[in-house]
Amino acid sequence: MGGDWEADLYALLERSIDRKTIFFDVGGWIGPVTLFSAQLAKETHTFEPNPLVFSELKENLKANGDFSWASKVTLINAGAHTKDDELKFGCVNENDDSTGSILGNDGDQTLNVCMIDFHKYLQKHAPKHEKVVLKIDIEGGEYSLIPHISNFLKRSDVVLFLSLHPQFLRATFEKKYKSDTFAGKFRIRMDMVLASQKIYRAFGRRQIYSLDGQRISRLGILFSSITSGRFLYDVALLS
């Protein structure tokens, strides 16, 4: 809900990142957020699993190689996941599509991609007492990833900007249940509610915000998702 994802996101990144910040761009695509944030941060780590998109990401960073901040960017051709693995990654257009997802991996257009245990990566590269900002936009993968890094997110010095994709979640459950029946529709909605609530529980007692800075009520989220099937598309944890 909130405002425009990109405009609100860039404004919050500019306010949240400084020369003491370690920034993680999870779902980097061709690098717009990485290139912007790297100019502000102490160091930047960018995850992009699609190998063909990753090539364009590398070229975009290389094009900025004359700037000192470019040397502080680490590009990882892998997805952030719950364990080290190789998974099928579904995408509409393998060359440059920004909506590839591990939830949509049973179609005709799929790639095998490398996945990295993100919790282990954070333990190594974002030790305690470091200022950390995370941007996570991974087209449905967040429903498994966020609970996996819940202990890390409970740190008050960690800032998170999270894009949620209930449309991918709904499509996954529609394949599982008969969506043309009342019982099927009910099970789809309840499973979506449960998956969404796992994300919010992973935040512990931290206050949840929209990207335009408004406080979000956990009870309000639960009520609107159950009664009207309305789910959030972006949330933030601020320090």
Side-chain angles (χ1 to χ4, degrees):
M1 305 215 214
D4 179 79
W5 160 255
E6 290 188 354
D8 290 337
L9 175 63
Y10 283 111
L12 281 171
L13 287 171
E14 191 165 18
R15 289 203 298 268
S16 302
I17 299 174
D18 58 29
R19 293 301 180 192
K20 297 180 180 179
T21 303
I22 301 174
F23 177 66
F24 296 85
D25 186 0
V26 183
W29 191 42
I30 61 173
V33 173
T34 289
L35 299 180
F36 175 82
S37 301
Q39 299 176 57
L40 308 171
K42 178 171 74 171
E43 58 185 79
T44 298
H45 301 254
T46 299
F47 287 76
E48 174 50 55
N50 186 321
L52 298 174
V53 173
F54 185 78
S55 295
E56 191 167 352
L57 169 62
K58 283 201 302 183
E59 287 301 312
N60 288 338
L61 181 61
K62 183 179 178 181
N64 289 275
D66 290 340
F67 296 102
S68 60
W69 53 262
S71 64
K72 298 182 290 183
V73 178
T74 300
L75 302 181
I76 303 103
N77 187 195
H81 192 47
T82 59
K83 61 182 179 178
D84 297 332
D85 203 355
E86 184 176 285
L87 295 178
K88 278 188 175 181
F89 184 81
C91 50
V92 177
N93 180 340
E94 66 179 12
N95 291 303
D96 61 4
D97 183 63
S98 63
T99 58
S101 173
I102 60 173
L103 292 183
N105 62 7
D106 57 356
D108 295 332
Q109 191 72 272
T110 62
L111 298 168
N112 288 327
V113 299
C114 178
M115 310 299 284
I116 290 177
D117 187 322
F118 191 45
H119 184 260
K120 290 182 180 177
Y121 191 90
L122 288 171
Q123 286 182 315
K124 181 177 180 180
H125 296 280
K128 290 182 179 180
H129 310 302
E130 291 281 6
K131 183 178 179 181
V132 175
V133 174
L134 302 161
K135 180 232 104 182
I136 299 179
D137 185 358
I138 51 176
E139 314 298 334
E142 66 275 6
Y143 293 101
S144 57
L145 181 65
I146 295 300
H148 180 61
I149 61 170
S150 61
N151 286 338
F152 185 82
L153 293 176
K154 289 169 185 174
R155 283 175 41 179
S156 60
D157 58 345
V158 172
V159 172
L160 169 69
F161 304 121
L162 175 65
S163 179
L164 295 162
H165 300 84
Q167 70 274 29
F168 288 106
L169 196 61
R170 181 179 288 108
T172 298
F173 290 133
E174 284 176 348
K175 295 173 185 175
K176 184 177 180 181
Y177 305 119
K178 293 181 178 180
S179 59
D180 58 345
T181 66
F182 175 81
K185 290 177 181 178
F186 178 79
R187 293 192 71 177
I188 289 168
R189 183 176 295 184
M190 290 302 100
D191 278 8
M192 290 182 66
V193 169
L194 290 173
S196 299
Q197 287 300 309
K198 283 183 180 178
I199 284 185
Y200 304 129
R201 285 199 297 271
F203 299 156
R205 297 183 178 181
R206 296 188 63 182
Q207 174 64 51
I208 304 171
Y209 295 87
S210 62
L211 291 193
D212 59 5
Q214 300 298 310
R215 286 173 175 253
I216 296 175
S217 163
R218 291 173 185 255
L219 185 59
I221 295 172
L222 180 61
F223 181 79
S224 64
S225 62
I226 291 175
T227 59
S228 61
R230 295 175 65 213
F231 295 87
L232 297 179
Y233 283 83
D234 51 73
V235 295
L237 298 177
L238 306 176
S239 60

